[in-house]
Each structure stands twice: as structure tokens, then as C-alpha cells.
């Protein structure tokens, strides 16, 4: 190793060894829990304690990342004025997508979900979590370095965020209006923070409905070789 590189430091691994019975029970419970998770578009305006959002973000922050650069930023939006601006900008972009940018095949896929350019949930949900991918960092000398495997790293963190929020009994939606540069501008984020996904968080509205769709069976998504 280059002598100019820092020497690695190691600490003991904290790991709990479980019996096979415990493993199966925990596996079954998590599968059951996450099988109930659905994307929600009908939100209640019922408030959510900020502490829950903080714990969910802290959980997402435990995700693995390329070279341990942790290239994520979670901006939690609860100000009504900011939420309105985000909704207006998102609906403007979504209108262009639904009326010209999207292919007929894409629109056919979305038709079964009943979506369109109207996004009232962006104002109704008590929180919007905007996840940004940090694509580069600048050190104390002013030298810029890219973050490694940032796309994959942030994707893993978002999955853990959704799992944490569902585990505590909150509903979510992964929203990706395209392009999303307006989020960077409205929230005043630096150029090295690229919008990754916009996640409304809260409780579902009374009588909320979700599309009648099915998940693929295990045999369709797994192959043992």
C-alpha cells in the first residue's frame, strides 16, 4: 500500500448469532410486514412526530456505501409554503411528461395505476423527505473528488428508509418527477447534491385505496445456480 495512504483501523464486529428457529421467525415476520407495504397516494394531514422521521433517517444512514463515503442527504420538508412550491413545480414537470415526454408504452403501464399529473399528496402529507445523492466532495485543500458508487449507495439507503418508515406504521410514496432539478433550486442545495427521489410520508387517509396489482412470485425473481 502507498505509504502516503492512511493505515486501516479495525474494531471488533458486533454480531448476534441466532438459532435457525430465530432466523426463520424473524425472516417470516419481516416478509409478512413488508408484504403489507404499498405505495400510497391518498394521505391524511394527520401530524407525525418528528422523532419518528429522525429515527427513520438515522436507520437509512446505516446503509453500506462505496468507500464509506455515505453520499446521501435527507432534506425533511414540513413547511407548508415549501411543500406548495414543490407541488407546483412537480405538477408542471409531470404535465409535460404525461402530455408529450412519455411514450405510449410508458403511459399504458401507468394507466393501471391511475396516475396523472395532479399530485395533491405533496401538500397533504405532513412530511416530504427529499433524498439527494452527493456526487462529489471537496476536501480542506479545495481538491474535488467524486463519490464512488453513489447511485447504488443511495438506492440501498432509500430502501432501508422505506423499510424503517413502514416498520413504524407510516405510509410512503416514491415520487420521481422528471427532471427534478427544481428540488435543488427550491431547497437551496449545492450543485454537488443531485435530487434522487421525493418521498411523501404520513398516515393514509381514511378509506385510502391502492391499485389492484400483484407482486411477482419468488420463482419469477430468484434463481439458484
Amino acid at each position: 500500500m502507498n505509504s502516503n495512504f492512511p493505515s486501516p483501523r479495525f474494531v471488533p464486529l458486533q454480531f448476534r448469532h441466532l438459532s435457525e428457529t430465530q432466523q426463520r421467525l424473524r425472516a417470516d415476520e419481516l416478509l409478512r410486514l413488508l408484504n403489507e407495504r404499498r405505495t400510497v397516494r391518498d394521505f391524511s394531514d394527520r401530524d407525525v412526530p418528528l422523532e419518528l422521521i429522525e429515527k427513520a433517517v438515522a436507520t437509512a444512514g446505516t446503509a453500506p456505501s462505496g468507500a464509506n463515503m455515505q453520499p446521501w442527504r435527507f432534506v425533511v420538508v414540513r413547511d407548508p409554503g415549501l411543500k406548495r412550491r414543490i407541488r407546483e413545480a412537480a405538477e408542471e414537470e409531470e404535465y409535460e411528461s404525461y402530455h408529450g415526454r412519455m411514450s405510449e408504452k410508458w403511459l399504458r403501464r401507468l394507466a393501471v395505476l391511475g396516475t396523472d399529473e395532479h399530485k395533491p399528496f405533496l401538500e397533504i402529507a405532513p412530511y416530504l423527505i427529499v433524498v439527494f445523492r452527493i456526487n462529489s466532495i471537496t476536501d480542506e485543500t479545495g481538491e474535488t473528488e467524486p463519490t464512488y458508487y453513489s447511485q447504488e449507495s443511495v438506492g440501498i439507503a432509500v430502501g432501508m428508509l422505506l423499510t424503517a418508515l413502514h416498520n413504524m406504521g407510516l405510509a410512503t410514496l416514491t415520487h420521481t418527477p422528471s427532471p427534478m432539478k427544481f428540488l435543488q433550486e427550491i431547497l437551496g442545495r449545492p450543485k454537488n447534491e443531485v435530487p434522487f427521489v421525493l418521498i411523501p410520508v404520513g398516515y393514509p387517509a381514511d378509506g385510502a385505496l391502492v391499485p389492484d396489482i400483484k407482486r411477482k412470485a419468488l420463482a419469477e425473481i430468484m434463481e439458484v445456480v
Side-chain angles (χ1 to χ4, degrees):
M1 181 177 290
N2 191 314
S3 60
N4 293 323
F5 291 171
S7 299
R9 296 178 62 248
F10 296 94
V11 296
L13 171 66
Q14 297 182 17
F15 187 86
R16 291 179 59 194
H17 290 276
L18 304 176
S19 68
E20 288 190 11
T21 298
Q22 290 174 308
Q23 289 175 317
R24 290 191 177 94
L25 287 173
R26 290 176 66 157
D28 288 342
E29 177 59 21
L30 184 61
L31 177 59
R32 182 201 62 76
L33 177 69
L34 292 184
N35 253 335
E36 296 174 352
R37 190 205 60 78
R38 291 296 305 269
T39 291
V40 171
R41 292 179 174 83
D42 296 329
F43 280 88
S44 164
D45 61 0
R46 176 184 166 193
D47 194 24
V48 173
L50 179 60
E51 178 188 7
L52 296 182
I53 305 300
E54 292 172 339
K55 289 184 182 299
V57 172
T59 300
T62 69
S65 62
N68 192 38
M69 297 189 78
Q70 305 172 55
W72 41 65
R73 184 83 70 226
F74 301 88
V75 179
V76 178
V77 182
R78 57 179 175 176
D79 177 79
L82 284 177
K83 290 198 293 182
R84 171 170 286 277
R85 289 178 61 193
I86 289 172
R87 176 186 177 180
E88 291 172 347
E91 288 185 336
E92 183 176 336
E93 294 294 353
E94 292 285 72
Y95 180 89
E96 295 298 326
S97 293
Y98 278 89
H99 295 83
R101 289 176 182 160
M102 293 178 179
S103 66
E104 185 175 344
K105 290 182 179 179
W106 192 348
L107 291 171
R108 186 180 296 115
R109 290 283 184 179
L110 293 174
V112 298
L113 303 179
T115 63
D116 58 26
E117 68 271 22
H118 300 101
K119 311 297 178 184
F121 49 77
L122 293 176
E123 283 194 89
I124 297 173
Y127 293 99
L128 305 178
I129 302 179
V130 186
V131 185
F132 289 87
R133 177 178 64 87
I134 301 173
N135 61 18
S136 65
I137 61 170
T138 302
D139 64 22
E140 59 275 6
T141 68
E143 184 175 348
T144 298
E145 178 184 10
T147 53
Y148 306 108
Y149 297 102
S150 62
Q151 195 80 8
E152 296 86 347
S153 301
V154 177
I156 294 169
V158 168
M160 293 176 67
L161 176 66
L162 296 174
T163 300
L165 291 166
H166 181 70
N167 182 58
M168 59 181 66
L170 294 173
T172 58
L173 164 68
T174 49
H175 184 43
T176 53
S178 181
M180 292 194 285
K181 187 178 180 181
F182 67 87
L183 291 169
Q184 193 177 45
E185 297 169 349
I186 291 174
L187 297 175
R189 306 312 304 173
K191 292 182 180 180
N192 68 329
E193 294 187 12
V194 181
F196 188 85
V197 67
L198 168 58
I199 306 175
V201 180
Y203 296 102
D206 292 339
L209 300 174
V210 295
D212 184 13
I213 56 177
K214 306 298 181 185
R215 294 186 171 98
K216 291 182 178 180
L218 178 62
E220 297 178 87
I221 64 173
M222 177 179 174
E223 183 173 345
V224 180
V225 297

